[in-house]
């Protein structure tokens, strides 16, 4: 397994968190919810998603929006992925698409024309060239889009607080009323400020338990601004279907075992 992340240039940092490359040969992998939207190009074996009880082949590219539950992707043989990790309040404007409140998006878009060129880079092992090509494409796309500065300020405040911030304080940081903030945020991302902030805070808890599964849950809840451990457990179960303790035990078990499965935090 190989995973690399590439920082977005300054011109893209208000819309894109990073570019990334991943290669592995799993039979299945699980995508966990977080506070980002991902544009995903894949190469190699087919990708079939298991989502809401149905199996469906995924085109390349597809978009993984904000999730409210994990999704499982099935594949065969070697799988290589190029991803663009975007802020959910900018991704639809960047692509010129109407916002939707859906976890997985399959759509027709000129970006699909990048697939054959990226395939050539991947086949030749020129990962840096593939990332450079994506960077060039999205820099040009970004120059054609007027990103709302209010949304950028709101997003920056939420990121700085790692999701542990009331909507009223986000509105203060963005210099707008709560009503205006909520309306524009929903128009841009399909989700409310509270939805995205909740995912950001959950992401911090999930990452901490992945790295340190023996972390004290009461202390973690306090550190991340949850009311108490019960509040943390409720929110964690909402996004994963399991308690933080069960997730930590699962992580320890997976780290001790040799498995073809992996969890990706996209």
């Amino acid at each position: 397994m190989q995973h690399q992340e590439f920082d977005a240039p300054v011109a893209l940092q208000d819309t894109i968190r990073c570019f990334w490359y991943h290669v592995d040969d799993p039979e299945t992998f699980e995508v966990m919810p977080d506070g980002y939207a991902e544009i995903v190009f894949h190469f190699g074996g087919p990708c079939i998603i298991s989502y809401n009880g149905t199996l469906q082949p995924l085109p390349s590219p597809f978009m993984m929006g904000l999730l409210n539950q994990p999704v499982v992707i099935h594949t065969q043989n070697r799988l290589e992925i190029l991803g663009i990790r975007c802020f959910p309040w900018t991704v639809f404007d960047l692509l010129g698409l109407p916002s939707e409140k859906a976890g997985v998006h399959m759509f027709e878009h000129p970006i699909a024309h990048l697939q054959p060129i990226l395939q050539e880079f991947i086949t030749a092992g020129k990962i840096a060239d593939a990332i450079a090509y994506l960077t060039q494409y999205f820099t040009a796309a970004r120059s054609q889009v007027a990103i709302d500065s209010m949304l950028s300020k709101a997003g920056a405040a939420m990121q700085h607080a790692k999701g542990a911030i009331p909507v009223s304080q986000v509105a203060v940081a963005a210099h707008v009323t709560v009503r205006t903030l909520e309306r524009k945020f929903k128009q841009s991302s399909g989700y409310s400020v509270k939805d995205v902030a909740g995912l950001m805070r959950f992401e911090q808890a999930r990452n901490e338990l992945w790295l340190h599964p023996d972390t004290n849950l009461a202390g973690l809840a306090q550190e991340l601004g949850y009311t108490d451990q019960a509040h943390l457990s409720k929110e964690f179960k909402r996004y994963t279907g399991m308690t933080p303790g069960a997730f930590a035990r699962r992580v320890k078990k997976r780290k001790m075992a040799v498995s073809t499965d992996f969890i990706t935090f996209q």
Side-chain angles (χ1 to χ4, degrees):
M1 183 177 72
Q2 179 186 353
H3 184 86
Q4 296 174 264
E5 294 192 359
F6 305 83
D7 292 337
V10 173
L12 290 174
Q13 287 178 1
D14 62 348
T15 51
I16 292 176
R17 173 68 179 80
C18 68
F19 298 88
W20 54 274
Y21 167 75
H22 190 97
V23 58
D24 204 348
D25 56 354
E27 294 180 1
T28 63
F29 62 93
E30 185 176 43
V31 181
M32 298 286 285
D34 66 13
Y36 297 99
E38 304 277 356
I39 302 168
V40 178
F41 292 85
H42 59 87
F43 313 88
C47 277
I48 300 173
I49 192 170
S50 176
Y51 187 60
N52 289 334
T54 62
L55 293 175
Q56 188 168 1
L58 289 170
S60 182
F62 66 90
M63 189 171 81
M64 189 75 72
L66 295 178
L67 301 175
N68 57 15
Q69 62 181 358
V71 300
V72 176
I73 293 179
H74 306 264
T75 187
Q76 297 172 3
N77 305 320
R78 179 185 174 92
L79 178 69
E80 295 184 77
I81 298 173
L82 289 171
I84 303 95
R85 183 166 297 143
C86 303
F87 300 119
W89 51 88
T90 61
V91 65
F92 290 105
D93 285 341
L94 185 63
L95 292 173
L97 294 172
S99 61
E100 293 182 54
K101 189 173 183 179
V104 183
H105 304 262
M106 289 166 275
F107 52 88
E108 294 184 6
H109 191 277
I111 195 175
H113 298 157
L114 275 59
Q115 179 76 15
I117 300 170
L118 294 172
Q119 177 70 73
E120 290 181 12
F121 286 132
I122 292 295
T123 301
K126 297 180 177 179
I127 309 308
D129 289 346
I131 296 298
Y133 186 76
L134 284 171
T135 301
Q136 182 181 32
Y137 176 89
F138 281 101
T139 299
R142 171 64 185 87
S143 69
Q144 303 300 314
V145 176
I147 298 296
D148 192 323
S149 62
M150 181 275 289
L151 293 174
S152 295
K153 291 174 183 176
M158 294 163 68
Q159 287 183 294
H160 180 74
K162 297 180 179 179
I165 182 172
V167 176
S168 58
Q169 289 186 22
V170 178
V172 169
H175 307 294
V176 293
T177 64
V178 169
R179 184 175 180 179
T180 297
L181 172 68
E182 289 284 19
R183 175 175 54 81
K184 289 200 170 186
F185 208 88
K186 196 111 183 222
Q187 286 175 348
S188 67
S189 69
Y191 287 80
S192 70
V193 175
K194 186 176 180 180
D195 288 335
V196 178
L199 279 164
M200 286 181 170
R201 184 158 58 169
F202 157 75
E203 182 183 345
Q204 307 305 311
R206 180 207 64 191
N207 289 351
E208 179 63 24
L209 290 174
W210 177 257
L211 294 172
H212 308 289
D214 291 320
T215 295
N216 179 274
L217 295 179
L220 181 62
Q222 182 178 21
E223 177 186 343
L224 297 179
Y226 288 98
T227 306
D228 51 26
Q229 185 176 336
H231 184 202
L232 166 63
S233 294
K234 180 181 178 181
E235 290 297 294
F236 204 96
K237 191 169 184 179
R238 172 187 174 190
Y239 294 120
T240 65
M242 67 181 78
T243 65
F247 179 80
R249 290 190 293 273
R250 181 185 178 192
V251 168
K252 285 191 281 187
K253 183 178 178 181
R254 287 196 175 202
K255 288 185 175 182
M256 291 172 60
V258 176
S259 172
T260 57
D261 294 355
F262 70 90
I263 297 175
T264 179
F265 296 153
Q266 300 171 8

